[in-house]
Amino acid sequence: DQQVKQNSPSLSVQEGRISILNCDYTNSMFDYFLWYKKYPAEGPTFLISISSIKDKNEDGRFTVFLNKSAKHLSLHIVPSQPGDSAVYFCAASAAGTASKLTFGTGTRLQVTL
Amino acid sequence: NAGVTQTPKFRVLKTGQSMTLLCAQDMNHEYMYWYRQDPGMGLRLIHYSVGEGTTAKGEVPDGYNVSRLKKQNFLLGLESAAPSQTSVYFCASSSMNTEAFFGQGTRLTVV
């Protein structure tokens, strides 16, 4: 049972345009959501997070939106840059669970020139 | 500023052999985790620890054991390796209510 789903395995976007990565979850107990970025042969690195008490969080070019009623979150990257090409993982955790993360399967973003 | 360090980076084992993966963090984090990443499946939690001397099972614990004798170290053991354990293993650490920091990964192949 996949509790965190990323239904798009890959996404290609032109440099300068907006990249939108989507994530859905099924577990109502999740209250903290994170996006990680992963380059080949490296570990995931934290990008941005959002608590369930918010519906938006911004950090520079990166914005995460949370729609609790739809159990959906999205990551917007504006403008996209070639260095953003990586695999992006959505992750979620629930309060009182020792910050254990449940990951989606990832979306490979390719930013083209 | 090392963060989370995993040893070794690569390893090839024969079926039935044993090995230990080492993870060390220098951020004084209480929580530590071992995940495995397989193609098309994201990262799955194997075991985790909420403090020195404590361990608990994650989503896919079978075939693995762990120990946390010191706060900064978290060891993952494979007693009798199987081809199904071929994977990339990531260690991570965090404090309560903060993001997890990951190591660079260990690529394990069991033949």
Side-chain angles (χ1 to χ4, degrees):
Chain A
D1 177 31
Q2 193 76 21
Q3 298 186 63
V4 178
K5 301 177 185 178
Q6 293 177 257
N7 293 318
S8 298
S10 63
L11 176 67
S12 183
V13 172
Q14 275 191 322
E15 182 181 11
R17 304 272 190 164
I18 184 171
S19 295
I20 300 177
L21 292 85
N22 294 303
C23 178
D24 298 293
Y25 63 96
T26 59
N27 188 340
S28 301
M29 300 303 293
F30 288 148
D31 62 354
Y32 188 55
F33 304 89
L34 308 89
W35 285 93
Y36 280 84
K37 178 180 180 179
K38 187 182 180 305
Y39 292 117
E42 294 185 10
T45 55
F46 170 73
L47 194 57
I48 192 169
S49 64
I50 188 166
S51 163
S52 61
I53 62 173
K54 295 184 175 181
D55 54 18
K56 178 182 174 181
N57 188 28
E58 266 183 284
D59 184 2
R61 297 186 296 115
F62 303 92
T63 303
V64 56
F65 296 92
L66 175 62
N67 183 333
K68 289 187 292 293
S69 60
K71 293 190 174 67
H72 177 83
L73 63 155
S74 61
L75 174 68
H76 292 209
I77 306 173
V78 184
S80 300
Q81 299 174 354
D84 296 330
S85 297
V87 177
Y88 290 78
F89 288 99
C90 172
S93 68
T97 63
S99 301
K100 293 184 296 178
L101 295 175
T102 300
F103 281 85
T105 52
T107 296
R108 183 177 301 277
L109 174 65
Q110 180 73 36
V111 180
T112 59
L113 297 174
Chain B
N1 189 14
V4 178
T5 303
Q6 293 182 230
T7 309
K9 291 184 174 56
F10 304 94
R11 185 73 186 268
V12 178
L13 282 181
K14 293 183 178 179
T15 298
Q17 285 185 319
S18 64
M19 78 162 293
T20 300
L21 281 66
L22 279 63
C23 178
Q25 53 99 0
D26 61 2
M27 296 172 282
N28 201 35
H29 286 162
E30 287 296 326
Y31 303 152
M32 295 188 75
Y33 318 86
W34 277 106
Y35 290 88
R36 60 177 287 173
Q37 184 193 7
D38 301 294
M41 301 192 74
L43 282 79
R44 293 180 293 168
L45 183 64
I46 304 170
H47 285 280
Y48 66 101
S49 167
V50 299
E52 181 179 321
T54 73
T55 63
K57 294 181 180 180
E59 183 185 352
V60 288
D62 294 342
Y64 305 95
N65 56 76
V66 287
S67 64
R68 184 124 180 248
L69 299 179
K70 293 182 179 181
K71 185 178 184 179
Q72 64 268 33
N73 297 334
F74 195 29
L75 279 59
L76 177 71
L78 287 74
E79 290 186 348
S80 179
S84 61
Q85 294 177 305
T86 293
S87 188
V88 181
Y89 292 86
F90 291 101
C91 176
S93 70
S94 76
S95 293
M96 187 182 297
N97 298 326
T98 68
E99 69 273 16
F101 292 81
F102 284 80
Q104 78 277 25
T106 297
R107 184 173 294 276
L108 175 66
T109 302
V110 183
V111 297

